[in-house]
Amino acid sequence: MTDQRIPTARLGGQGPEIGVQGLGCMGMSFAYGPTDAKESEATLERALELGVTMYDTADAYGAGENEKFLSPFFKAHRDEVVIATKFALAVPPDDPTRRIIRNDAPYIRQSVEASLTRLDVDVIDLYYMHRRDVNVPIEDTVGVMAELVREGKVKQLGLSEVTAAELRAAQEVHPIAAVQSEWSLFSRDIEAQVVPAARELGVTLVAYSPLGRGFLTGSFANADQDLTADDFRRRQPRFTGDNAAANGALLEPIRAVAEAHGATPGQIALAWVQQQSRAHGLSVVPIPGTRRPTRVEENAAATTIELTPEELALLEPIAGKVAGDRYPDMRFTSAGRE
């Protein structure tokens, strides 16, 4: 589709230059049904060829299996890639299907050592707190993360799904390079407070699920009917039942804009997220997830699409009409605590 390398953006105030689009790697070994390792490996290589340099994983993805899967690719291209991984979602020993949030110092130290081992690297480029444990002061959590920087185990710090107040409190302890939150044509709650705080502090906004977990691309219409039993989207309220039908009708303006550009709906959804960088005056790096080389080519090509003011106005009302929350329990998102 294209061999043109994507533009770059700076990660936080003092971080490296990275591709303006990253790659979410969760689905290569977790959450989205059956996977093909060879195709995922080819996707990683193709992404790098196109200038995608930040690769996003977490210790919770497949209970560490995603980090292990990515390790050979990272080792082969260590000087070219920025490795982003996360801690905080612990697996209780009595129930491997559950996750509990831990932000305490012993757990953080245990987690970073385990991730370094699985990734087989000496240092993690960007280390995120995956979710917030409200019972642990964020200053304490970031304080431990800052120690990891001083010890040379981590280069940059990130936070995921934090409120504006939590981000500001964290920044008082140590510079935060990136805040990761869901941001798409379907999910815009962070624009009220988190985005202005990130702009004020010079923090990069890493947008996960910029394609609405595939719904905005039209790859599925109803999770119950179209996805395998082990696909976690079947547990997300907006993708099932009457919500899915109502939200499917919201895709029409996206399809209309896509047709005008000779593009796909997914490319328009990504182009919209990319343009939020200018709209809000901060660095924005979406991390669409995919397991197919052709899809990563399509995603990268979205960085060349410029939406007109009229097209942006057509897309503007969509998020306000979405039926259903993005998670069954919103307490663990920034929107659930703002």
Side-chain angles (χ1 to χ4, degrees):
M1 181 174 293
T2 179
D3 283 303
Q4 180 179 347
R5 289 176 66 85
I6 63 174
T8 62
R10 184 163 297 283
L11 178 61
Q14 301 174 332
E17 286 285 321
I18 59 173
V20 76
Q21 192 180 105
L23 181 64
C25 300
M26 179 179 76
M28 293 180 177
S29 53
F30 176 71
Y32 289 162
T35 62
D36 182 325
K38 291 296 182 184
E39 188 169 41
S40 292
E41 289 165 1
T43 300
L44 294 168
E45 295 287 350
R46 186 65 179 126
L48 188 58
E49 290 173 354
L50 293 169
V52 175
T53 53
M54 187 170 73
Y55 296 79
D56 186 90
T57 182
D59 60 1
Y61 300 162
E65 290 303 314
N66 196 243
E67 290 179 324
K68 291 179 183 177
F69 170 76
L70 294 168
S71 176
F73 171 74
F74 290 155
K75 288 184 70 176
H77 301 285
R78 189 63 189 98
D79 294 337
E80 303 170 78
V81 300
V82 169
I83 300 172
T85 192
K86 314 178 193 74
F87 73 88
L89 298 182
V91 180
D94 59 337
D95 185 358
T97 65
R98 289 181 55 233
R99 297 289 186 273
I100 57 175
I101 300 174
R102 289 187 61 181
N103 290 174
D104 56 284
Y107 184 74
I108 295 170
R109 289 199 163 275
Q110 170 190 326
S111 297
V112 75
E113 295 297 342
S115 286
L116 286 166
T117 298
R118 285 188 294 263
L119 293 165
D120 195 15
V121 296
D122 296 326
V123 61
I124 294 166
D125 300 309
L126 177 60
Y127 200 43
Y128 285 102
M129 181 189 76
H130 203 161
R131 289 293 186 272
R132 169 96 165 92
D133 179 357
V134 296
N135 297 309
V136 178
I138 196 161
E139 294 87 350
D140 292 354
T141 299
V142 177
V144 177
M145 296 170 72
E147 291 174 5
L148 302 180
V149 176
R150 291 191 289 272
E151 293 165 10
K153 295 175 181 178
V154 171
K155 291 183 180 179
Q156 305 278 331
L157 301 185
L159 303 170
S160 181
E161 290 288 1
V162 293
T163 66
E166 291 164 349
L167 177 57
R168 289 191 173 96
Q171 185 81 0
E172 289 292 318
V173 178
H174 188 278
I176 303 300
V179 60
Q180 184 174 136
S181 289
E182 186 166 352
W183 200 6
S184 73
L185 283 167
F186 265 27
S187 299
R188 298 181 58 180
D189 48 74
I190 63 169
E191 292 175 27
Q193 297 190 52
V194 176
V195 169
R199 179 181 63 239
E200 169 194 327
L201 299 172
V203 176
T204 294
L205 200 302
V206 176
Y208 76 80
S209 298
L211 297 173
R213 301 195 185 276
F215 194 85
L216 292 169
T217 72
S219 63
F220 72 99
N222 185 300
D224 286 333
Q225 300 170 9
D226 302 335
L227 303 178
T228 57
D230 58 347
D231 194 307
F232 96 116
R233 289 172 288 186
R234 291 173 62 131
R235 301 192 297 275
Q236 292 186 293
R238 60 180 48 168
F239 301 139
T240 59
D242 292 342
N243 286 347
N247 293 335
L250 301 178
L251 302 181
E252 287 308 315
I254 305 173
R255 294 192 183 105
V257 175
E259 184 175 354
H261 283 268
T264 66
Q267 287 177 317
I268 298 306
L270 271 176
W272 181 88
V273 176
Q274 301 275 186
Q275 279 186 235
Q276 299 314 298
S277 177
R278 292 201 308 275
H280 293 274
L282 78 167
S283 173
V284 177
V285 178
I287 49 169
T290 185
R291 301 177 290 201
R292 299 178 183 176
T294 53
R295 188 70 76 184
V296 86
E297 292 172 354
E298 177 185 323
N299 292 345
T303 62
T304 67
I305 296 174
E306 184 77 16
L307 301 177
T308 67
E310 292 76 17
E311 290 167 340
L312 291 169
L314 185 65
L315 301 173
E316 180 66 23
I318 292 175
K321 299 177 181 179
V322 172
D325 286 331
R326 49 192 176 99
Y327 289 106
D329 188 342
M330 290 290 286
R331 290 177 301 165
F332 307 110
T333 69
S334 60
R337 297 193 307 279
E338 289 283 12

